[in-house]
Amino acid sequence: MNSDISARDEADDLRVRFEAQMRRAFFDKLRDDLKNEKPEAVDWLIKLHLELQKRLAALRPGRADEIADKMDNELFARKLRNRAFRHDDMYGMVDFSYEILSEIVAPDMDASLSEKRNSLLVEMQSGDAVFSSIVPAFLQGVHELLDESIARIHQLYNKQ
């Protein structure tokens, strides 16, 4: 019996490490593609923005209409494709996303949320801030918080 539990724990650990490596590789590739101004990077950003919008709305259904409005994916896509997405737009997205996240995450995750948000804001305010590093850092941070929140929800339901 204990060997079954140990094997499951090892498999879960391997899965978690593999997922972390794949996510890191994905965001590294996105960073490189944005830096090199590859058109497919913009397409990925648009898809990732829509995914973020849907995930936030699913976890905060009472604010779904507001989330859809403030995170309008068509407007986001037009701004990106026309190179009209500005620093203020990014600040607005960061502030709004983290406001919603603060309503989703468990209280013991508040420190992690604040750390990710503050780190991102410091990077955005630095003189050498570039879109190709800020956006992947933002997406990676918010999706990590969402993944952790969703995992905890699944754990609660699986215990019942």
Side-chain angles (χ1 to χ4, degrees):
M1 183 79 157
N2 284 342
S3 64
D4 289 343
I5 293 171
S6 178
R8 251 185 285 142
D9 289 345
E10 286 180 30
D12 285 344
D13 184 53
L14 181 61
R15 181 186 53 78
V16 167
R17 286 186 296 152
F18 179 73
E19 287 175 359
Q21 286 178 331
M22 293 304 294
R23 178 166 286 185
R24 192 171 21 258
F26 173 80
F27 283 109
D28 287 348
K29 172 90 169 102
L30 180 59
R31 244 179 229 99
D32 289 344
D33 287 355
L34 286 170
K35 184 177 180 180
N36 295 317
E37 298 185 19
K38 293 188 177 180
E40 60 268 16
V42 170
D43 293 337
W44 271 110
L45 282 182
I46 294 165
K47 289 176 186 176
L48 290 168
H49 180 266
L50 181 59
E51 178 186 2
L52 177 59
Q53 175 198 33
K54 287 180 177 182
R55 290 181 87 189
L56 290 172
L59 292 169
R60 286 296 291 129
R63 294 185 71 181
D65 290 340
E66 178 188 10
I67 292 167
D69 184 51
K70 290 205 177 196
M71 297 183 76
D72 183 327
N73 202 58
E74 288 181 31
L75 179 60
F76 177 75
R78 278 197 310 269
K79 283 185 172 192
L80 276 184
R81 289 190 175 116
N82 293 309
R83 297 179 182 254
F85 191 79
R86 302 288 177 236
H87 204 65
D88 289 347
D89 296 317
M90 189 67 206
Y91 269 112
M93 186 183 307
V94 168
D95 283 342
F96 183 71
S97 297
Y98 276 94
E99 174 191 324
I100 300 296
L101 278 168
S102 71
E103 298 172 4
I104 294 170
V105 302
D108 67 330
M109 293 173 63
D110 286 347
S112 178
L113 181 138
S114 292
E115 180 184 324
K116 288 179 188 310
R117 182 180 184 276
N118 293 338
S119 172
L120 184 63
L121 291 174
V122 165
E123 183 178 350
M124 289 173 68
Q125 293 169 351
S126 75
D128 53 335
V130 291
F131 188 76
S132 64
S133 66
I134 291 171
V135 172
F138 164 69
L139 289 169
Q140 190 169 9
V142 296
H143 281 289
E144 285 173 0
L145 291 165
L146 285 168
D147 290 345
E148 174 68 21
S149 297
I150 291 168
R152 289 177 178 209
I153 291 168
H154 286 291
Q155 283 178 336
L156 286 173
Y157 283 109
N158 289 334
K159 286 183 180 181
Q160 295 178 357

